[in-house]
Amino acid sequence: MQNPDSLQVLLNDPNLSADLKDIAQKVLNLQRISFDEGVLLYEKAELGYLGTLANYIRNAKHGDKTYFNRNFHIEPTNLCVYDCKFCSYSRLIKQRGEGWEYTMEEMLDIVKKYDNEPVTEVHIVGGVLPQYDVPFYAELFTRIKQHRPDLHVKALTPVEYHYIFKKAKIDYATGMQLMKDAGLESMPGGGAEIFHPEVRDLIAKDKCTGDQWLQIHEEWHKLGMRSNATMLYGHIEKYWHRVDHMERLRQLQDRTGGFQTFIPLKFRNQDNQMSDVPESTVLEDLRNYAIARIYLDNFDHIKAYWAMISRNTAQLSLNFGVDDIDGTLDDTTKIYSMAGAEEQHPAMSTKELVELIKQVGRHPIERDTLYNVVTDFKDHVFAEESKPKFYKLPVVN
């Protein structure tokens, strides 16, 4: 599916610098680019050049296929012991009046509301509080699997695991084995932010370090399990911090092969302690997706969260290395909307997601969490579809 002619046009362009031609040649030859070349792409490469390289790689890996899944979120609480400067979602414990804390039964009630819906994944992530400990989550995962064995449990980030394992006085390897035994099937990519302490200490002090984040994923991968990875970009970091972040992920992926998807997360500045920091432009967002696709040669998938960047930008991203736009969500997450994302009630029917992908000439594939094909929607004709039923979350004033 890839078109080497587009790269040849770049290589024959007399106005393209020698160093950028070298990178294009590496992409054509399936060679890995270096750290310095990654920084160079951020500093010098124009959007059209980056899109050509990223789209070449994307098409080589996936053709026109674009993935999504039918999922919903459970966010146990928006209260948190940590005080991340970029976070619009969480409230400190002293702000309890502005938050929610679900009980075990309330979370299971959310799961049960989807009993007759064709969802394949529950995504569980939220704030960190003492009562949500190892026994609590082990019981929650077990009870979800007992109730609905076919529902894939993708849950908690290293931020949460580091906290609960430390509280339980167990090491990461023991903790991750306990979670797997309880029914955990994969880990989302959150909590990565920027790994380098120069930035992390300023925006997310006290929670797990970049090295600890990577260690927890490595222990999970050692169990033969899969996870995702993220990077929060577009705030106070420099370009080399982004490349350093991706380099650490690339090295771990070389060792374990356990990462499925990389998800760049755009910093949103509404109602947080970094509201004075301007947000990145759509052009910068697209450049960042493309560079991630070029740099992370050992990651199969690059995902754009449509709920965070808007439906239109998600469509554009499919020509800049992205091959996954996440899922239906069903208005079960407040993490993005509370930070000022365009989608204030993020939910799309399967039909809407399929049409979104087809509108830009791509081939929609419903996947499960592990990228097995559930339904190929290339030639699918939809019957009249009832509107999705929303499970209303508490309103935070």
Side-chain angles (χ1 to χ4, degrees):
M1 294 292 296
Q2 72 271 32
N3 180 12
D5 292 344
S6 59
L7 289 194
Q8 288 299 337
V9 170
L10 284 181
L11 291 167
N12 295 331
D13 181 355
N15 298 314
L16 189 65
S17 65
D19 45 13
L20 290 177
K21 280 187 182 178
D22 287 345
I23 293 173
Q25 190 67 56
K26 280 189 171 183
V27 170
L28 189 61
N29 296 340
L30 302 178
Q31 293 175 294
R32 173 168 285 185
I33 71 168
S34 69
F35 184 100
D36 290 341
E37 287 171 327
V39 175
L40 179 75
L41 289 179
Y42 277 114
E43 292 178 342
K44 288 183 62 175
E46 294 182 356
L47 183 63
Y49 166 92
L50 291 170
T52 299
L53 296 190
N55 202 41
Y56 176 84
I57 297 165
R58 181 235 201 271
N59 288 348
K61 287 180 177 288
H62 306 292
D64 284 330
K65 291 177 181 174
T66 297
Y67 300 93
F68 70 93
N69 70 338
R70 299 199 213 197
N71 63 344
F72 67 97
H73 285 221
I74 297 175
E75 294 170 356
T77 183
N78 71 330
L79 298 174
C80 194
V81 299
Y82 298 122
D83 183 27
C84 297
K85 306 307 178 191
F86 59 83
C87 187
S88 311
Y89 170 83
S90 71
R91 300 293 185 266
L92 294 172
I93 293 174
K94 65 186 179 185
Q95 299 169 292
R96 250 194 170 99
E98 298 178 25
W100 67 84
E101 300 169 67
Y102 288 150
T103 64
M104 176 90 62
E105 298 307 322
E106 286 171 329
M107 291 186 224
L108 291 168
D109 284 343
I110 295 174
V111 173
K112 290 170 186 173
K113 286 184 180 292
Y114 290 88
D115 280 356
N116 298 312
E117 301 290 334
V119 293
T120 58
E121 173 190 289
V122 56
H123 179 133
I124 306 170
V125 66
V128 175
L129 285 183
Q131 72 263 34
Y132 299 121
D133 55 11
V134 167
F136 181 94
Y137 281 121
E139 182 182 346
L140 176 66
F141 300 160
T142 298
R143 290 181 66 182
I144 290 172
K145 294 304 292 183
Q146 286 172 343
H147 176 75
R148 187 168 177 177
D150 64 317
L151 188 65
H152 184 104
V153 176
K154 183 173 81 175
L156 308 189
T157 71
V159 177
E160 292 144 292
Y161 287 125
H162 169 77
Y163 179 87
I164 66 175
F165 296 162
K166 185 177 179 182
K167 188 167 179 277
K169 297 183 170 58
I170 56 177
D171 61 28
Y172 293 158
T174 302
M176 293 319 301
Q177 183 68 59
L178 282 172
M179 294 297 105
K180 181 184 176 185
D181 292 345
L184 180 69
E185 291 167 285
S186 67
M187 284 173 59
E193 324 317 356
I194 290 288
F195 290 143
H196 199 285
E198 193 172 283
V199 176
R200 196 177 190 84
D201 288 350
L202 292 175
I203 67 170
K205 194 171 176 60
D206 299 328
K207 73 181 185 185
C208 72
T209 66
D211 286 343
Q212 289 166 335
W213 189 100
L214 292 161
Q215 287 165 18
I216 289 172
H217 277 268
E218 184 160 11
E219 293 300 336
W220 184 241
H221 295 170
K222 285 177 184 176
L223 297 174
M225 308 303 280
R226 310 304 298 278
S227 65
N228 295 339
T230 63
M231 175 178 71
L232 183 73
Y233 72 93
H235 43 92
I236 64 169
E237 87 286 358
K238 296 182 173 66
Y239 287 143
W240 73 265
H241 290 127
R242 297 188 199 178
V243 180
D244 173 78
H245 188 97
M246 291 190 288
E247 176 62 24
R248 297 184 200 207
L249 291 171
R250 196 167 73 172
Q251 289 180 15
L252 178 54
Q253 182 73 333
D254 279 343
R255 293 200 300 276
T256 68
F259 286 120
Q260 298 195 114
T261 310
F262 178 67
I263 309 128
L265 299 177
K266 177 188 178 88
F267 165 70
R268 308 305 303 244
N269 67 6
Q270 184 172 304
D271 294 331
N272 58 46
Q273 296 172 69
M274 294 170 65
S275 294
D276 59 316
V277 178
E279 294 181 358
S280 60
T281 65
V282 171
L283 292 181
E284 180 61 23
D285 297 337
L286 296 175
R287 291 180 79 248
N288 192 64
Y289 284 119
I291 293 169
R293 179 62 287 170
I294 296 162
Y295 200 83
L296 293 171
D297 54 10
N298 54 4
F299 274 65
D300 286 338
H301 304 282
I302 304 291
K303 181 193 289 191
Y305 274 140
W306 65 264
M308 176 172 271
I309 61 171
S310 84
R311 301 179 192 206
N312 289 342
T313 305
Q315 286 179 310
L316 289 170
S317 75
L318 297 179
N319 285 320
F320 291 88
V322 169
D323 66 282
D324 188 315
I325 58 170
D326 197 46
T328 47
L329 295 177
D330 203 18
D331 200 17
T332 52
T333 176
K334 294 293 184 191
I335 291 175
Y336 318 130
S337 57
M338 288 172 70
E342 288 79 2
E343 297 281 344
Q344 285 298 295
H345 298 283
M348 270 202 271
S349 68
T350 302
K351 182 180 180 182
E352 287 175 311
L353 265 173
V354 166
E355 288 176 350
L356 188 86
I357 293 165
K358 284 185 174 180
Q359 282 167 4
V360 288
R362 296 295 188 177
H363 174 175
I365 300 278
E366 182 193 349
R367 59 167 176 83
D368 66 12
T369 307
L370 301 177
Y371 286 87
N372 299 303
V373 175
V374 175
T375 306
D376 185 331
F377 281 95
K378 185 173 186 179
D379 300 312
H380 184 88
V381 177
F382 284 89
E384 282 302 309
E385 191 177 79
S386 61
K387 291 189 177 178
K389 301 177 189 135
F390 297 146
Y391 180 76
K392 297 224 175 278
L393 286 170
V395 175
V396 180
N397 296 315

